[in-house]
Structure formats: C-alpha cells, structure tokens
C-alpha cells in the first residue's frame, strides 16, 4: 500500500490529528509514520489496546508522558564518553519517572494488553534516585548533589555575604558618598565592585575593572575585598571541578543503562500512540469495528471523520451479496464522499483505530487497496485527465487480485460517452473475474444496466432533492441514481417547452429506464415511510407496555406492603386486647377469691363492663400502633392520642408506665400506651435538607466558569462549588479561568494548593482548554 493511496484517501490528515493528541514526540512520530497492517492478529491486538486505553482514560489522563523528550542524542553522547549536562540528565530522569508511573497507571488485572506491553519497561531505582537527588526540576545541579559541592557553595555564599556587608557599609559611609556615582553594589567579571566618579578614581584604593561608556564612572573593587573576591574565584574553580565530576559519574550511569533506556522510550512512544488513538476515538465518537479477512464490509451509519458534525451517515456494504458496487447520482451528490468514506474507514480499522460508525460494523482487511480518484491530469507528462486515469487503471488491473479493494471515481468519464461506457464495462468485468472488491462511481447509464444484468454487481445511488435543489448525501443500495438534469433545469427557470424538447431527444429506452427508476424510488420511499411509521407505533406501544407493567408491579408491591402492615398491626392490637382482657379477668378472680371480704357489687360491675368494653373493641378498627416502654426515651417526639397533640418526652416511663410530656405550654403525665413516636420538626427539616443535597448532587456540573470575575469573587465562587462537588462525590472538576494576563489563573492555583478537598491539579489538555483551564483532582 503506497503513500499515494493514503494521501488520496486523506489518511495522512487522520495521522496528523492523532499526532496532535499525543503527549510527546515519540507518540507523534509513530502516529505520522505507522502504516496500516494486513495482519489480522496484529490489528486485533491494536484494537484491544485502544479499547483498554479508552477505559483507562475515564479514570485519569497520562499526564506523566507530557514533556518527555526523545533520548537518542543523549544516549549516543553518553555511549561515546561525552558529558551530559544537567538539563539532559533531567530528561533522562523524567523518562525513568514516566516508566515507573506507566506501570502504576495500568492495573494488570484490568488492562491485560497494556500490561503486556509495559512488561518490557526496565526500572533502575538507583539511577533514578541519583538523578532526582542531583538535578532539580529547573535542570540545574542541586547543592546537595554531593557533600563537597554543598560545602563549596556554602563557602562561596559566605564569602559573598561578607563582601556585600563590607561594601554596603562602604557606600553608606558619609565620607564615601561624594565619591560614588550611585550608592549601589554591582558585579564586573564575577567580582563585586562599586561605581566611583571619574574625578575621584584615585581617592578609592582598589582594582579598576571597568568604566561606563561615557567615561564618567569607573567600577572599582576596593582593596579590602580583593582577597575575598579571589577566594570566591578559587572556590568557583573548585565548584566547576566538582560539578564535572558529578556529571561524569551520572553520565556513566546513563551509559551503562542506555540500551534499557532506549527500549523504554520505544515502549513509552507506543504507549503514547495507543492513548492518542483512544483520544481520537472519543473525539470523533467512534466505535470498535469487527474485522475479518473474508472481504466482507458492512458499515452502518458510517461518517467521514474529517467532515465533523456535518457528515451525513451512510450505510455501505460489500462482499456478501455482491462484490462490486456501482454508485450513480448527480454531481456534488456525495458519490466521491461515500467512496472515500469506505476507503478511509477501512484504513483506520487496519491501523488499529476505532471508526465513526455504529458498533459492530464489519470492516475487511485488504493487503492492497487501489484508488483512482480526483483530477489526474499531468502537465509534466503531457497526459490528459482521461489518459492519466487510464494509465492508473492499467496499473491497478495488473496488480489486483481477490484480496484487493479497488475504488474508482467517475469511471468512463473524460472521453466519448459511448466509448467510455464500453471501457468501463470491460474494466468492471475484469475486476469481477479477478474476484476483487470494488466500488465505482459513474454517470454512465450503461453501467447501471450492467449492474442489473450481472451477478455479484449491485447498483447504488446518492439521493437528490429536486424541490430544494440540494443533495441529501444519503446512499441507497439496490437503486440506481438519476442525474435529475431536467428537474433541476426547470426549477432554475429553464422554459418548459425547451425542457420538453430536450426530453424528446432522449432515446425511448433511456426514458423508460428513467421512469422505471423513478417509480421504484417512489415505491421504496412509500415503503420506507410506512416502515418508519410502524416502527414509531411499535416503539410507542412498547413504551406504554413497559409503563403499565411498572405500574402493575408498583401496585402489587404497595398492596402487599399495606396487607403486611395491616396484618402486623392487627396481630399487635389483638395481642394487646387479649392481655388487657386476661388482666381484667384475673382481677375479677382475685376479688371473688376473698370469701371473708366479698367484693361490692359496683366493683364487680366495673370489671364486667371493662371486659365487655374490650369485647366491643375487638369488633372495631384498632388504634394506631402503641409503643413499647423500651422504645420511648427522654427527648423523643410523640403524638398524644387522648388530646391529639404532639410534644417532647421530658422523662421516661416511671413505675406506673407514665411519661412526663411537654405539649406546647402543658406538662402532663400520660400512659405510655396512649402515645406513638413521630418525626420531630428538626427531623423533617433534616430530611428536606438531605433531599435538597441529593438534588444538588444529581444536577451539579463537572466544570465551573469564573472568567470575568475578580480574583476574590472567583475564589468565593470556587469554594462554594468545591463544597457541592465534594458532596456530589465528583472525582475531578474543571475550572475555566481563561488565559488573559495570568493573574486569575495564578490566584486559582495558589488557592487550590492548600484546599482541603483538592489532592492535585494540572493544566487542561489541548482539547480541554489548555492553560485557560485547571483540572483539579478531588479526594
């Protein structure tokens, strides 16, 4: 598959888009150079890796890859005993850090393919520790890179402090004020000096190091600080020697591990490219295709990835019922777009990318794809458009076989229509004999007939709206297209008489074919409208059925719940009545037992009435559920049945089972059987507040825009938002502050550093808004 094919199908533009979604140069280089594969196992592995990367991206980005640099030049220098400078060593350390974080990022149990890729990463904790200890994030050698370096720099700083202190005293001295041009201490040639007026140059004893351009000022190193300046210079030489020793030692460590570092960069570059393809899939709303080696294509709702939202989805198939598809229709109707969409989505799938089509779309693997599309006119080779097309097609026919996909645009055009149609039929016959898969676009009516008359060849058309004079770009398989020239001309104002004369000049057979196609389209449109209407009604009926089923289940649950509660309340009520009855009977028996002191008649009557009353109560609805003594505590909110009031329990049940209750301004003793627990006003308020929190948690946005606010107002808004985000359980939020002067960005980031809910934060990715957005990770 040559580069010319990739360029004609605009695959190079897809490569550039994927490259732009990579984190560093390694992934970008692979994105720009990786060619489609024809190995089914390799493609499957690539797709598996992208699927795992898409899942991983839902939980976090691969920010540890950002800013990495390729190490090839550094490693080559280290291998030949060159000296690596601190910034170069820092980049080596960054690669070791990225390798460690990549392994940590990928969970072996969840992402098996990515874990297998990262198994080749080599770790060197000692080298990483030494580099981290010696080199700062600014790419400079740290003071504590070695004890000797720390001591030397301490002495240098001490000597500088003494010199500055002396010179500050010197310039503040009243005797020296008139000698100085300015009361400042500066440096010349790495030595501290003071600016002295030209006329007083001999008044200050010391060494002259420089003078101003005008000659009015000379810069003199006072004699008293010469010795300290000399010591600083000597210490700086020692510092340089110690720095070279440290860098040499670190460089040897890099050289010894250079092969492993080179392998790590290859793996990290591949890792970055995988995640770039995953980001591309999210960007174009792509799904994983099902691949096969049988030449079967069935793309459902496929969209050209470079057309964005304006792309019209098409359904296109090949290799099942037919091997050659002939697409006809008016100019600018979308024939070439349909052809390129098929070719480009095939190349994307063969490169391990998800495609912008419905899930489970079928894409075939082709070892060779041949394309003849666009204006092939060549001035340099003195070839016309037709000649260039023919030369290209001849080359295709010589190389094509049953494992090839051929895409031919405007076949038979650019020459005499009759001769062009004849050549086109011969070309299609040759492709058919070689069992190649092919898609052909044309205006030739003869090719429509050819598709009807031959097995394994099918017609297709791109639709055109003659009323609005606009193409619909929809592809219809099984129906040839029309040019609609007469309708368009009439719609644009061409005289009806002239249109009619033109129609009369069309051969009768062509008119019959056109009328037949028109009738077929009308019948098909009627069928499709009816089918859509039936599908809509079926969907509505299914939805109504589902709603009714849910209502039925809910009703059954409520019914069962009510019955269960009623049975429980009835059992409790009957148990209470039984206990009271037994108690009354027992009391009556006790009265009758005492023969020496028989009960009075009214006592017996009271007990009899009590039992009779209990008998009547069993025939009426029971009172609301009473509360056992163990359930009632001081502070509970209860309902007093006898006075139909609510209040708080001040004291729990006493020996007589009475409660002391505060109901409004009243304090009263009530039997515990006459009260029932209920929700207090505070509990009802808390319940309402929890519902409010729940609603807020369900509706909160994952981002907040504070552009245009003053820093103080913005931070107040962010604080309230982070409270809500924490309550809602968000993992991360995006704070949009814009770029501007950077003042608001700085204020936001300083505020986030110490915020109780924020674990970490970073700049947004390019697609998230770059430096105009800060992404905060929440606890």
């Amino acid at each position: 598959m040559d580069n010319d094919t990739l360029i004609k199908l605009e695959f190079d533009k897809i490569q550039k888009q994927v490259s732009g979604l990579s984190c560093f140069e390694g992934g970008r280089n692979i994105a720009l150079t990786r060619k489609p594969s024809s190995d089914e196992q390799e493609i499957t592995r690539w797709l598996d890796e992208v699927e795992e990367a898409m899942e991983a991206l839902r939980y976090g980005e691969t920010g540890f890859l950002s800013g990495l640099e390729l190490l090839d030049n550094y490693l080559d220098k280290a291998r030949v005993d060159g000296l690596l400078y601190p910034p170069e060593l820092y980049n080596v350390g960054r690669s070791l850090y990225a390798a460690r974080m990549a392994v940590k990022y990928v969970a072996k149990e969840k992402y098996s393919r990515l874990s297998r890729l990262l198994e080749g990463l080599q770790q060197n904790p000692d080298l990483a520790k030494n580099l981290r200890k010696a080199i700062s994030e600014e790419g400079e050698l740290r003071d504590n890179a070695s004890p000797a370096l720390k001591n030397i720099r301490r002495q240098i700083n001490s000597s500088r402090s003494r010199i500055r202190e002396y010179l500050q005293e010197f310039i503040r001295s009243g005797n020296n004020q008139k000698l100085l041009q300015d009361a400042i201490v500066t440096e010349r040639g790495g030595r501290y000096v003071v600016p002295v007026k030209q006329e007083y140059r001999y008044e200050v004893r010391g060494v002259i190091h420089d003078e101003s351009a005008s000659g009015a000022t000379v810069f003199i190193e006072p004699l008293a600080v010469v010795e300290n300046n000399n010591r600083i210079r000597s210490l700086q030489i020692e510092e340089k020697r110690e720095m070279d020793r440290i860098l040499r030692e670190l460089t040897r460590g890099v050289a010894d591990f250079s092969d492993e570092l080179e392998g790590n960069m290859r793996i990290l570059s591949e890792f970055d490219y995988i995640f770039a393809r995953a980001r591309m899939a999210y960007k174009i709303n792509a799904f994983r295709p099902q691949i096969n080696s049988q030449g079967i294509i069935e793309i459902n709702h496929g969209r050209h990835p470079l057309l964005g939202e304006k792309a019209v989805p098409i359904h296109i198939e090949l290799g099942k019922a037919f091997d050659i598809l002939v697409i006809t229709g008016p100019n600018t109707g979308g024939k070439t777009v349909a052809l390129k969409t098929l070719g480009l989505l095939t190349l994307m799938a063969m490169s391990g990318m998800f495609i912008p089509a419905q899930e489970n779309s079928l894409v075939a693997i082709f070892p060779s794809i041949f394309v003849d599309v666009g204006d092939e006119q060549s001035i340099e080779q003195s070839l016309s458009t037709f000649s260039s097309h023919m030369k290209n097609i001849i080359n295709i026919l010589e190389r094509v076989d049953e494992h090839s996909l051929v895409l031919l645009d405007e076949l038979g055009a650019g020459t005499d229509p009759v001769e062009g149609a004849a050549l086109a039929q011969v070309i299609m016959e040759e492709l058919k004999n070689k069992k190649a898969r092919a898609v052909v676009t044309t205006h030739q009516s003869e090719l429509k007939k050819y598709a009807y008359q031959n097995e394994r060849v099918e017609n297709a058309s791109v639709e055109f709206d003659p009323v609005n004079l606009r193409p619909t770009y929809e592809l219809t398989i099984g129906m040839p297209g029309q040019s609609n020239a007469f309708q368009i001309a009439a719609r644009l104002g061409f005289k009806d008489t002239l249109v009619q004369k033109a129609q009369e000049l069309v051969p009768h057979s062509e008119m019959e074919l056109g009328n037949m196609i028109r009738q077929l389209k009308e019948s098909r449109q009627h069928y499709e409208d009816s089918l859509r209407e039936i599908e809509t009604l079926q969907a509505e009926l299914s939805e109504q059925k589902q709603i009714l089923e849910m209502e039925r289940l809910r009703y059954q649950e409520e019914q069962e719940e009510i019955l269960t509660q009623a049975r429980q309340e009835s059992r409790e009520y009957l148990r209470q009545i039984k206990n009271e009855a037994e108690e009354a009977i027992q009391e009556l028996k006790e009265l009758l037992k005492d023969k020496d002191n028989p009960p009075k008649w009214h006592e017996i009557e009271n007990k009899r009435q009590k039992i009779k009353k209990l008998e009547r109560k069993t025939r009426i609805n029971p009172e609301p559920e009473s509360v056992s003594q163990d359930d009632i505590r001081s502070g509970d909110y209860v309902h007093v049945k006898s006075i139909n009031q609510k209040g708080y329990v001040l004291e729990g049940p006493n020996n007589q089972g009475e409660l002391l209750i505060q109901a409004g301004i009243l304090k009263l003793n009530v039997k515990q059987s006459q009260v029932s627990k209920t929700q207090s006003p505070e509990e009802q308020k808390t319940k309402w507040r929890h519902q409010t929190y729940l609603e807020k948690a369900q509706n909160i946005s994952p981002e907040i825009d504070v552009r245009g606010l003053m820093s103080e107002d913005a931070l107040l808004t962010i604080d309230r938002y982070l409270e809500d985000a924490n309550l809602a359980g968000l993992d991360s939020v995006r704070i949009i502050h814009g770029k501007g002067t950077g003042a608001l960005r700085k204020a936001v980031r300083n505020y986030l550093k110490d915020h109780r809910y924020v674990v970490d934060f970073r700049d947004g990715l390019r697609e998230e808004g770059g430096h105009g957005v800060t992404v905060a990770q929440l606890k």
Side-chain angles (χ1 to χ4, degrees):
M1 199 174 304
D2 54 24
N3 283 326
D4 190 46
T5 296
L6 302 181
I7 292 172
K8 286 180 179 177
L9 292 176
E10 300 179 290
F11 183 70
D12 58 319
K13 295 180 180 178
I14 296 295
Q15 289 178 305
K16 288 178 182 176
Q17 287 194 13
V18 175
S19 169
L21 297 172
S22 301
C23 288
F24 77 106
E25 191 177 354
R28 285 192 285 273
N29 289 342
I30 296 178
L32 293 173
T33 57
R34 177 70 57 84
K35 295 289 192 295
S37 172
S38 57
D39 185 334
E40 186 172 357
Q41 288 186 346
E42 185 175 44
I43 296 170
T44 301
R45 174 169 59 82
W46 288 348
L47 292 171
D48 288 342
E49 290 169 347
V50 172
E51 188 169 8
E52 290 185 358
M54 291 181 70
E55 176 68 17
L57 282 174
R58 293 175 54 207
Y59 301 99
E61 267 290 350
T62 57
F64 50 85
L65 295 176
S66 298
L68 282 183
E69 290 191 15
L70 295 179
L71 304 179
D72 298 346
N73 294 334
Y74 307 155
L75 299 180
D76 290 342
K77 188 199 289 190
R79 286 174 180 137
V80 297
D81 205 25
L83 185 67
L84 295 181
Y85 294 106
E88 297 171 332
L89 290 169
Y90 172 73
N91 287 324
V92 174
R94 283 276 292 117
S95 73
L96 289 170
Y97 169 77
R100 182 167 59 86
M101 292 304 297
V103 174
K104 187 177 179 181
Y105 179 85
V106 174
K108 287 186 178 180
E109 308 79 27
K110 198 171 185 180
Y111 310 120
S112 58
R113 286 286 189 183
L114 294 177
S115 297
R116 201 169 301 138
L117 170 68
L118 298 183
E119 284 176 357
L121 287 176
Q122 301 296 317
Q123 307 292 340
N124 191 332
D126 292 337
L127 179 59
K129 180 181 177 182
N130 292 337
L131 290 172
R132 191 166 57 250
K133 177 184 175 184
I135 311 298
S136 69
E137 294 182 0
E138 292 75 26
E140 297 176 353
L141 206 57
R142 298 181 189 270
D143 291 349
N144 58 354
S146 75
L149 182 62
K150 185 175 183 179
N151 183 49
I152 291 169
R153 289 183 173 177
R154 182 181 56 77
Q155 292 182 59
I156 290 173
N157 291 334
S158 177
S159 297
R160 283 177 172 164
S161 296
R162 284 196 295 269
I163 292 173
R164 281 196 297 268
E165 287 174 6
Y166 174 82
L167 293 179
Q168 288 294 336
E169 289 293 332
F170 181 88
I171 62 177
R172 282 198 295 266
S173 172
N175 297 330
N176 298 329
Q177 289 291 325
K178 67 174 185 176
L179 307 177
L180 301 175
Q181 193 72 262
D182 292 300
I184 60 171
V185 178
T186 183
E187 283 189 51
R188 286 295 185 273
R191 302 176 77 89
Y192 287 104
V193 295
V194 291
V196 179
K197 295 177 182 178
Q198 179 66 246
E199 58 269 27
Y200 297 115
R201 61 187 299 175
Y202 298 112
E203 299 290 328
V204 179
R205 298 182 61 193
V207 180
I208 298 175
H209 286 279
D210 197 6
E211 67 176 28
S212 64
S214 64
T217 305
V218 292
F219 296 94
I220 299 177
E221 178 185 5
L223 202 56
V225 299
V226 170
E227 184 178 348
N228 273 328
N229 269 329
N230 288 339
R231 175 159 177 73
I232 289 174
R233 180 57 58 88
S234 176
L235 288 170
Q236 286 174 338
I237 293 171
E238 288 184 39
E239 179 189 29
K240 177 67 168 57
R241 190 182 301 116
E242 178 63 15
M243 288 173 64
D244 286 347
R245 185 194 68 77
I246 295 169
L247 295 177
R248 181 69 62 188
E249 186 177 324
L250 293 173
T251 300
R252 278 197 296 271
V254 172
D256 294 340
F257 200 64
S258 59
D259 291 342
E260 290 82 355
L261 287 169
E262 190 173 21
N264 282 0
M265 289 308 296
R266 283 196 298 270
I267 294 172
L268 290 175
S269 297
E270 186 69 33
F271 188 74
D272 186 29
Y273 176 53
I274 291 169
F275 277 81
R277 302 202 307 272
R279 294 185 193 98
M280 182 69 173
Y282 277 124
K283 180 180 177 181
I284 62 175
N285 193 26
F287 291 90
R288 176 171 182 161
Q290 300 299 314
I291 58 172
N292 67 90
S293 300
Q294 290 76 47
I296 299 175
I297 296 174
E298 187 173 355
I299 297 174
N300 299 309
H301 284 78
R303 293 171 284 109
H304 197 290
L306 299 176
L307 296 180
E309 296 296 327
K310 62 182 180 181
V312 176
I314 62 171
H315 173 83
I316 189 165
E317 58 183 87
L318 203 63
K320 281 187 177 179
F322 51 88
D323 298 327
I324 299 176
L325 185 65
V326 180
I327 303 177
T328 50
N331 284 325
T332 70
K335 300 189 301 296
T336 304
V337 171
L339 181 141
K340 283 188 172 183
T341 299
L342 171 63
L344 184 54
L345 297 191
T346 300
L347 290 176
M348 289 176 66
M350 291 170 61
S351 299
M353 299 182 195
F354 285 21
I355 62 173
Q358 275 189 354
E359 202 168 0
N360 297 324
S361 290
L362 287 173
V363 178
I365 299 170
F366 295 100
S368 54
I369 298 177
F370 301 101
V371 180
D372 182 69
V373 63
D375 188 357
E376 299 288 341
Q377 185 172 1
S378 174
I379 297 175
E380 292 180 357
Q381 300 179 21
S382 300
L383 295 175
S384 66
T385 301
F386 176 75
S387 301
S388 294
H389 279 294
M390 282 308 302
K391 186 176 180 181
N392 195 16
I393 290 172
I394 291 168
N395 180 49
I396 290 173
L397 293 178
E398 289 175 352
R399 299 164 59 191
V400 74
D401 59 24
E402 61 181 320
H403 303 297
S404 301
L405 174 65
V406 181
L407 306 173
L408 303 177
D409 189 31
E410 299 294 354
L411 183 62
T415 187
D416 179 79
V418 176
E419 295 178 357
L423 281 172
Q425 289 184 67
V426 172
I427 292 167
M428 289 173 61
E429 188 67 29
E430 182 68 8
L431 292 174
K432 179 185 170 187
N433 293 336
K434 292 194 173 185
K435 298 182 180 179
R437 306 295 188 269
V439 178
V440 175
T441 70
T442 184
H443 286 286
Q444 302 285 359
S445 297
E446 292 299 323
L447 298 188
K448 303 176 191 177
K449 296 178 185 177
Y450 177 85
Y452 270 121
Q453 295 168 355
N454 287 271
E455 294 290 331
R456 307 298 297 175
V457 185
E458 184 59 273
N459 272 306
S461 62
V462 287
E463 300 297 332
F464 191 87
D465 185 352
V467 177
N468 298 315
L469 301 179
R470 290 197 197 98
T472 64
Y473 303 108
E474 295 178 359
L475 182 69
T476 303
I477 295 178
M479 186 74 63
Q482 295 175 280
S483 67
N484 296 295
F486 296 140
Q487 291 91 333
I488 295 172
R491 185 73 177 172
L492 291 174
F494 202 63
K495 291 182 179 179
D496 291 342
T497 54
L498 297 178
V499 171
Q500 188 174 355
K501 284 184 180 181
Q503 289 176 330
E504 292 172 356
L505 294 175
V506 177
H508 184 66
S509 61
E510 292 289 334
M511 287 296 296
E512 286 185 345
L513 178 62
N515 290 332
M516 179 188 69
I517 292 173
R518 191 174 295 105
Q519 290 172 3
L520 283 172
K521 284 189 175 181
E522 289 175 357
S523 300
R524 185 187 183 105
Q525 186 63 41
H526 177 71
Y527 166 76
E528 289 179 350
D529 290 344
S530 301
L531 184 62
R532 276 194 294 269
E533 208 172 304
I534 291 170
E535 288 175 349
T536 301
L537 290 173
Q538 284 180 336
E540 291 176 356
L541 287 172
S542 178
E543 184 179 357
Q544 291 178 2
K545 181 181 177 182
Q546 188 176 3
I547 293 172
L548 288 173
E549 180 65 19
M550 291 175 65
E551 287 292 326
R552 186 182 68 81
L553 292 174
R554 186 177 64 81
Y555 173 75
Q556 284 183 346
E557 290 176 359
E558 289 181 356
Q559 185 182 39
E560 186 63 30
E561 185 179 345
I562 291 170
L563 289 173
T564 301
Q565 186 176 356
R567 292 190 193 102
Q568 184 177 353
E569 290 177 352
S570 298
R571 283 195 295 269
E572 289 293 325
Y573 183 73
L574 289 173
R575 183 176 59 80
Q576 179 185 353
I577 296 299
K578 182 179 178 182
N579 291 340
E580 292 181 7
E582 289 177 353
E583 182 182 346
I585 292 171
Q586 187 63 33
E587 290 176 356
L588 183 58
K589 286 181 179 180
E590 292 294 331
L591 289 173
L592 295 174
K593 278 182 181 179
D594 192 354
K595 296 180 179 180
D596 298 331
N597 188 17
K600 298 175 182 175
W601 69 267
H602 65 84
E603 292 178 339
I604 297 174
E605 181 63 20
N606 286 341
K607 300 300 180 184
R608 189 181 69 80
Q609 290 295 333
K610 183 176 180 181
I611 294 172
K612 190 173 182 180
K613 183 178 179 182
L614 290 172
E615 183 181 0
R616 285 199 304 271
K617 285 173 67 177
T618 59
R619 297 192 185 99
I620 62 175
N621 291 332
E623 293 290 329
E625 180 183 1
S626 61
V627 182
S628 67
Q629 184 173 350
D630 294 336
D631 291 333
I632 301 295
R633 298 177 182 175
S634 177
D636 287 345
Y637 194 73
V638 295
H639 175 253
V640 182
K641 304 171 191 173
S642 58
I643 61 174
N644 194 25
Q645 294 289 327
K646 295 179 181 178
Y648 288 95
V649 177
L650 299 179
E651 294 179 4
N654 54 24
N655 294 333
Q656 287 76 36
E658 292 181 341
L659 306 169
L660 179 60
I661 294 175
Q662 177 81 51
I665 61 173
L666 297 177
K667 284 187 180 179
L668 59 157
N669 291 318
V670 182
K671 286 281 189 181
Q672 54 93 17
S673 59
Q674 293 299 313
V675 301
S676 60
K677 287 178 69 173
T678 185
Q679 283 188 336
S680 68
E682 288 80 10
E683 289 174 330
Q684 294 175 350
K685 185 176 180 181
T686 302
K687 181 179 178 182
W688 173 83
R689 187 185 302 117
H690 287 172
Q691 290 173 342
T692 304
Y693 287 162
L694 181 60
E695 292 170 359
K696 185 178 290 187
Q698 292 172 339
N699 299 322
I700 190 169
S701 170
E703 66 179 30
I704 183 172
D705 191 342
V706 295
R707 289 176 294 182
L709 298 179
M710 299 295 291
S711 294
E712 186 177 354
D713 296 336
L715 296 182
L716 187 61
T717 302
I718 290 171
D719 186 68
R720 289 196 297 267
Y721 173 72
L722 290 178
E723 286 286 348
D724 294 341
N726 177 65
L727 179 66
L730 296 183
D731 294 329
S732 65
V733 296
R734 295 185 297 279
I735 301 172
I736 304 171
H737 45 63
K739 298 177 182 177
T741 61
L744 183 55
R745 175 178 178 269
K746 182 177 180 182
V748 169
R749 294 171 77 88
N750 287 337
Y751 175 74
L752 293 178
K753 281 182 182 177
D754 302 316
H755 199 279
R756 57 191 178 280
Y757 296 143
V758 177
V759 178
D760 195 9
F761 58 89
R762 60 173 174 82
D763 286 330
L765 298 175
R766 185 178 302 172
E767 60 269 25
E768 293 175 330
H771 293 297
V773 172
T774 294
V775 180
Q777 300 293 328
L778 303 184
K779 294 180 180 178

